[in-house]
């Protein structure tokens, strides 16, 4: 009997060991696939958020452990908008609020006047009025999940906001969340005079990379994010997911290798 025939025979003889090895590999591969799907979904959503409003890049606090912890002076949006080659710069405050069974509902604070320049597809109602206080707009996916419509009340950090419009956008972060006026959200979150990020759109014909480099030079505490691969400058989440994926891949391969080697040794 050849060596490999003996190995194959031993696989069926040592059924429990073989079954446990196969189970370990299967569990590892399942987790790898699941983490890969989660990572790709986050990458797609993050790319959509970077490009929100047709922006060329996003500016956030350099070195933040998570984008939601980023804090950039709100006045920097006007200063960046005044730089050569910049068409517009819109500051956004991101607040993670508990809503029903969802403890991570995303609420975005915008200056109402800036919403008219956002490519929001209104599906019902209207935009938040300039100077409005407790008005809100909700994304189509969030409205469907929560069963909310125009005229309903959206609680944000325990405070009621009247829903005046429903919108649809491509990025899942905003489509699954809500938009409220910037100043009331700053007050509720105790983050007066700061925004989480600034979306920058450059003039036609201008190189976004050159403008991004200028922003980082003029505002050294910030980082300009043009692609999701640069997200680690302001958010460590992707690095953690990639590290976990790699560790599980190595573990699954190790389990398989140990199982095969053990079977070969037992066959000798």
């Amino acid at each position: 009997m050849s060596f490999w025939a003996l190995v194959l025979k031993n696989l069926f003889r040592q059924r429990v060991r073989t079954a446990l090895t196969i189970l370990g590999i299967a569990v590892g591969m399942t987790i790898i696939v699941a983490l890969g799907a989660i990572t790709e979904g986050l990458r797609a959503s993050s790319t959509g958020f970077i490009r929100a409003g047709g922006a060329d890049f996003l500016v956030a606090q350099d070195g933040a452990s998570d984008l939601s912890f980023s804090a950039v002076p709100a006045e920097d949006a006007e200063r960046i908008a005044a730089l050569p080659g910049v068409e517009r710069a819109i500051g956004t405050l991101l607040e993670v609020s508990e809503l029903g069974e969802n403890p991570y509902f995303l609420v975005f604070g915008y200056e109402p006047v800036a919403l008219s320049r956002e490519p929001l597809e209104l599906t019902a109602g209207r935009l938040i009025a300039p100077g409005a206080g407790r008005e809100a707009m909700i994304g189509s996916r969030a409205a469907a999940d929560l069963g909310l419509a125009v005229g309903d009340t959206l609680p944000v950090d325990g405070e009621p906001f009247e829903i005046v419009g429903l919108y649809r956008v491509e990025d899942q972060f905003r489509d699954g969340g809500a938009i409220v006026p910037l100043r009331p959200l700053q007050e509720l979150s105790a983050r007066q005079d700061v925004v989480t990020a600034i979306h920058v759109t450059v003039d036609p014909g201008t190189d976004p990379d050159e403008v991004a480099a200028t922003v980082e030079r003029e505002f050294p505490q910030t980082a300009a994010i043009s692609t999701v691969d640069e997200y680690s400058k302001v958010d460590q989440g992707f690095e953690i997911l990639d590290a976990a994926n790699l560790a599980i891949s190595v573990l699954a391969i190790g389990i398989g290798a140990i199982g095969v080697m053990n079977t070969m040794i037992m066959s000798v």
Side-chain angles (χ1 to χ4, degrees), residues 74-85:
E75 64 181 14
D76 283 358
E78 294 183 4
R79 296 172 62 194
I80 291 174
L83 291 175

Side-chain angles (χ1 to χ4, degrees), residues 24-263:
I25 296 173
V27 170
M29 294 303 296
T30 300
I31 295 175
I32 291 170
V33 172
L35 279 176
I38 292 172
T39 301
E40 286 306 309
L42 282 175
R43 285 182 178 275
S45 297
S46 298
T47 298
F49 183 62
I50 292 172
R51 302 297 182 184
D56 292 293
F57 59 88
L58 174 150
V59 177
Q61 181 183 352
D62 187 25
S65 59
D66 185 274
L67 181 61
S68 62
F69 298 148
S70 169
V72 179
E75 64 181 14
D76 283 358
E78 294 183 4
R79 296 172 62 194
I80 291 174
L83 291 175
V86 175
E87 180 180 319
R88 64 177 181 272
I90 298 175
T92 308
L93 181 64
L94 172 61
E95 172 75 356
V96 180
S97 180
E98 183 175 354
L99 183 59
E101 297 181 355
N102 183 0
Y104 305 109
F105 185 76
L106 300 181
V107 182
F108 300 87
Y110 278 82
E111 288 286 2
V113 294
L115 291 175
S116 61
R117 298 192 293 270
E118 287 285 304
L120 300 173
E121 179 188 347
L122 273 177
T123 58
R126 59 172 174 82
L127 297 176
I128 296 171
R134 300 300 173 87
E135 290 187 349
M137 299 171 60
I138 188 167
S140 60
R141 186 163 64 90
D145 291 344
L146 300 170
L148 296 174
V150 173
D152 291 338
T153 298
L154 176 73
V156 177
D157 290 343
E159 295 294 327
F161 283 71
E162 180 189 359
I163 298 175
V164 298
L166 271 61
Y167 63 87
R168 181 181 290 110
V169 287
E170 291 184 2
D171 69 275
Q172 296 300 307
F173 285 161
R174 292 191 300 167
D175 202 59
I179 294 174
V180 301
L182 177 60
R183 296 190 186 282
L185 188 61
Q186 288 174 325
E187 294 173 358
L188 285 175
S189 60
R191 289 188 285 177
Q192 285 88 346
D193 302 323
V194 301
V195 293
T196 303
I198 300 171
H199 290 89
V200 181
T201 305
V202 304
D203 292 327
T206 302
D207 185 354
D209 292 337
E210 291 183 2
V211 177
T214 300
V215 169
E216 290 186 333
R217 185 172 60 253
E218 296 293 329
F219 302 87
Q221 303 303 317
T222 66
I225 310 301
S226 301
T227 68
V228 71
D229 292 331
E230 298 176 332
Y231 233 80
S232 59
K233 294 181 182 179
V234 297
D235 195 320
Q236 308 304 312
F238 285 116
E239 289 187 345
I240 294 172
L241 280 175
D242 288 340
N245 213 341
L246 177 61
I248 293 172
S249 299
V250 172
L251 180 61
I253 293 172
I255 291 173
I258 291 172
V260 172
M261 291 176 61
N262 197 15
T263 300

